Amino acid sequence: MTESEIKEKQLGKALLKLTQKYGSPLYAYFTEDIEKNYRKLRSAFGDEGVHIMYACKALTNLVVLKFLKKLGCGLDAVSLEEAKLGLLAGFKGREIVFTPSMVGGADYDKAVEYGLRINVGDLQALEYMGKNHPNYPVCIRLNPHVYAGGHEKISVGHVQSKFGISIFQMDEVLDLVKKYSIRVDGVHMHAGSDIQKDEQYMEAIGVIFGKAEFFPDLEYVDIGSGFKIPYRSSDTSSNLEKIASFVKEKLNTLSVKLNKRVELLMEPGKFLVSNAGYFIVEATVVKKAPGKTFVGVDSGFNHLMRPMLYDAWHDVINLSNPNGKSQKYDLVGYICETDTFATDREVAEIRVGDFLTFKNTGAYGFNMASNYNSKLRPAEVLVHEGKDYLIRRRETFEDLISTQVLPDLFY
Ligand SMILES: *Cc1c(COP(=O)(O)O)cnc(C)c1O
C-alpha cells in the first residue's frame, strides 16, 4: 500500500466513526487541513503587509470562522449577515471586507456603522458613499474584463458579468471621486476560482494594478480570489509561488510610484476550506436498471448542490466497503428533481446501508444547503487535534416549521 492509500484508509475509518456517532448525512471538517492550506498561502505570499481575508460564503460556521481568525485571517463578507457572523466570531470591523453586489444604501449605512472595509461594485454605490458618508474610505471593485474560462456560473470577471465597475468606466469613477472628495483606500478584483490558468488570474491582477495608480489615497490592493484547487485527478491547482512573485513585483512598483508601502489583500474561499471537508451519506437504495445501476442516498441537491449547479466533480469513496470490487454507478439523491451527484462513477461495491463520502466538500457544501422537499439540513462536525466536536446540530421537524405563522384561518 502506498502512503496515500494508508492515509485514505485511516481517514475512511475516522469518517465512518464520526457517522456512527453523529448520524448521516453529515458534514465533517478537519482544522488540520485548513491550517495546511493557510500555511501554503503564507509561505508563498509572506506575512508583512499581507492580509488573507477568508471568503466566508464558502463555509460560515462560527467555529470555523473563529479558527480562521486564530490562524490570522480576516474575512471577506458578501452580505451584512456574513459580516455580522464575522463580528460575532470576534473579527473587528476593519478585519472584514464587505463586498456586496446589488444592494441599496441601507446596507452601506450599516456597513459604516459596523466599521467594515467597504468595497463598492457599482457607480450608484460609489455616489451614495460620497454623498452620505463623505469621510468614510471606500475600496473600488473593478471588473478587469479578462475572460477566465471555467463554468459560466462561477466565472465573474468577464465583460458580461454583473460584478464590479467596468474598467471602461474609469472616467466616471474618477469624476465621482473628485466631486465628493472620496477617499479611495483600495482597489479590488475577483476573478473566481474556476479560472482555468494562473496566467488569466495574473492578467486580471495586472489590470487592476494598472488602475490603482489613479488613487493617491490608496492603501491596499485586493486581488480577490483566483486560487484554483483540484477536484479531480486531472485538475491542476494554482502555482502560488508564481502568482505571489508576480504580485510582489507589482506591489513594489506601485509602492514606489505612490511613495508609500501599499498592502495586499486576498480573498481565498475554497482554497482554504474545500479539501478540509467531507460530506457523508448513506446508500438507501440500489436499483438495477437496464445498462445502469443507480444508488440512491439519504441526501440530494438540498445538501450538496455543486454537482447539479456547476457540473462539479466530487470524488466518492465507499467508507463501509473500501475493498469491495469497484463498479460503475449513477449516484442520485432523493429529491423530486434530477439530482445526480455522479454519473458512471467507479466506486467500490455499494450495498444498501453503506456510508459513502463526497470529498472536497468543505466549500459551498453546507452553505448552499436548503430545505427543499421539506428535508432537514445535516449536522456539521469539526475535528481538531484528534478530537471531534459537534458544531451544528442536525435540524429537526420543529426547526422546519419554527418560522411559520398560523393565523386564525381555515378551521
Ligand atoms: C466568492 C468570493 C471569493 C472566494 O472565491 P473562491 O472561489 O471560493 O476562492 C472571493 N471574493 C469574493 C468577492 C467572492 O464573492
Side-chain angles (χ1 to χ4, degrees):
M1 256 199 298
T2 65
E3 198 180 320
S4 77
E5 281 168 344
I6 294 171
K7 251 187 153 170
E8 185 160 309
K9 264 232 151 85
Q10 285 170 344
L11 174 74
K13 275 193 188 147
L15 292 174
L16 206 52
K17 241 177 150 173
L18 290 175
T19 313
Q20 279 150 2
K21 182 167 174 186
Y22 297 102
S24 154
L26 182 71
Y27 273 99
Y29 315 115
F30 292 77
T31 54
E32 190 187 341
D33 296 311
I34 299 176
E35 181 160 357
K36 267 190 208 151
N37 298 332
Y38 174 81
R39 300 276 166 233
K40 275 187 205 163
L41 279 173
R42 278 289 176 211
S43 91
F45 285 90
D47 299 307
E48 194 61 33
V50 176
H51 307 273
I52 300 176
M53 316 299 273
Y54 165 58
C56 70
K57 73 176 184 293
L59 176 60
T60 51
N61 189 292
L62 285 170
V63 185
V64 173
L65 298 188
K66 283 180 181 218
F67 180 68
L68 282 152
K69 176 164 169 32
K70 204 147 191 213
L71 285 180
C73 283
L75 279 193
D76 172 61
V78 294
S79 68
L80 275 180
E81 289 77 3
E82 281 188 358
K84 276 166 102 164
L85 285 171
L87 294 170
L88 204 57
F91 290 90
K92 305 240 161 24
R94 287 299 286 170
E95 292 170 338
I96 302 174
V97 186
F98 178 54
T99 307
S101 46
M102 307 299 171
V103 301
D107 280 38
Y108 292 100
D109 296 343
K110 272 280 174 218
V112 169
E113 188 187 314
Y114 296 154
L116 311 178
R117 287 186 202 244
I118 296 181
N119 193 3
V120 300
D122 57 83
L123 292 169
Q124 180 185 308
L126 183 61
E127 177 147 35
Y128 184 86
M129 285 299 295
K131 265 187 189 159
N132 298 281
H133 305 286
N135 300 315
Y136 202 89
V138 296
C139 174
I140 294 183
R141 178 176 189 171
L142 292 168
N143 184 332
H145 299 314
V146 170
Y147 176 67
H151 196 283
E152 58 174 303
K153 292 205 182 83
I154 313 184
S155 178
V156 292
H158 57 87
V159 74
Q160 281 167 14
S161 164
K162 73 169 181 177
F163 297 101
I165 300 174
S166 167
I167 46 165
F168 301 125
Q169 292 174 309
M170 278 306 287
D171 287 348
E172 282 149 277
V173 169
L174 295 172
D175 284 350
L176 286 173
V177 168
K178 195 164 159 214
K179 183 171 170 191
Y180 297 103
S181 310
I182 299 170
R183 182 150 70 88
V184 177
D185 67 347
V187 289
H188 168 273
M189 180 284 299
H190 169 58
S193 59
D194 207 33
I195 203 152
Q196 294 301 291
K197 294 200 177 88
D198 293 340
E199 282 69 26
Q200 292 162 329
Y201 186 28
M202 292 190 288
E203 186 187 340
I205 292 171
V207 171
I208 57 154
F209 267 97
K211 305 299 173 199
E213 301 167 11
F214 289 102
F215 305 104
D217 296 326
L218 201 86
E219 287 166 20
Y220 61 92
V221 174
D222 183 344
I223 61 170
S225 175
F227 302 107
K228 215 174 129 53
I229 60 156
Y231 279 98
R232 51 202 297 174
S233 54
S234 56
D235 286 350
T236 54
S237 51
S238 294
N239 181 338
L240 296 181
E241 279 67 32
K242 191 159 118 188
I243 297 171
S245 78
F246 176 82
V247 170
K248 277 180 208 161
E249 196 197 307
K250 292 274 169 204
L251 263 183
N252 287 339
T253 314
L254 182 66
S255 297
V256 170
K257 264 191 187 146
L258 295 178
N259 196 24
K260 66 170 90 164
R261 193 67 230 160
V262 178
E263 305 212 318
L264 178 70
L265 269 65
M266 65 188 79
E267 305 167 345
K270 64 168 68 138
F271 184 89
L272 286 170
V273 296
S274 183
N275 70 357
Y278 298 82
F279 181 48
I280 304 144
V281 297
E282 182 178 350
T284 45
V285 175
V286 177
K287 177 175 173 177
K288 287 217 190 287
K292 256 195 191 309
T293 304
F294 290 101
V295 170
V297 300
D298 61 346
S299 181
F301 80 26
N302 53 323
H303 296 159
L304 177 61
M305 206 179 193
R306 296 189 76 259
M308 303 84 189
L309 192 60
Y310 305 134
D311 298 322
W313 174 286
H314 290 275
D315 278 339
V316 182
I317 302 172
N318 185 345
L319 301 173
S320 307
N321 189 23
N323 301 320
K325 193 168 174 301
S326 95
Q327 299 177 30
K328 278 192 174 166
Y329 296 100
D330 276 19
L331 297 166
V332 295
Y334 55 23
I335 295 292
C336 282
E337 301 273 351
T338 301
D339 58 346
T340 306
F341 290 106
T343 308
D344 283 334
R345 189 68 70 86
E346 293 250 358
V347 185
E349 186 194 357
I350 302 174
R351 308 151 307 183
V352 169
D354 280 357
F355 292 107
L356 317 175
T357 190
F358 295 97
K359 289 172 77 172
N360 240 324
T361 43
Y364 310 108
F366 184 91
N367 270 60
M368 281 191 174
S370 75
N371 289 120
Y372 188 44
N373 279 202
S374 297
K375 301 300 291 183
L376 307 173
R377 273 176 289 203
E380 291 179 292
V381 169
L382 187 78
V383 178
H384 179 62
E385 292 175 349
K387 275 196 181 151
D388 50 86
Y389 303 85
L390 185 68
I391 57 171
R392 188 189 300 266
R393 67 162 170 78
R394 192 171 296 289
E395 274 182 344
T396 64
F397 185 73
E398 285 65 41
D399 292 326
L400 193 67
I401 56 171
S402 66
T403 51
Q404 296 197 40
V405 180
L406 297 178
D408 199 9
L409 281 174
F410 315 128
Y411 287 100

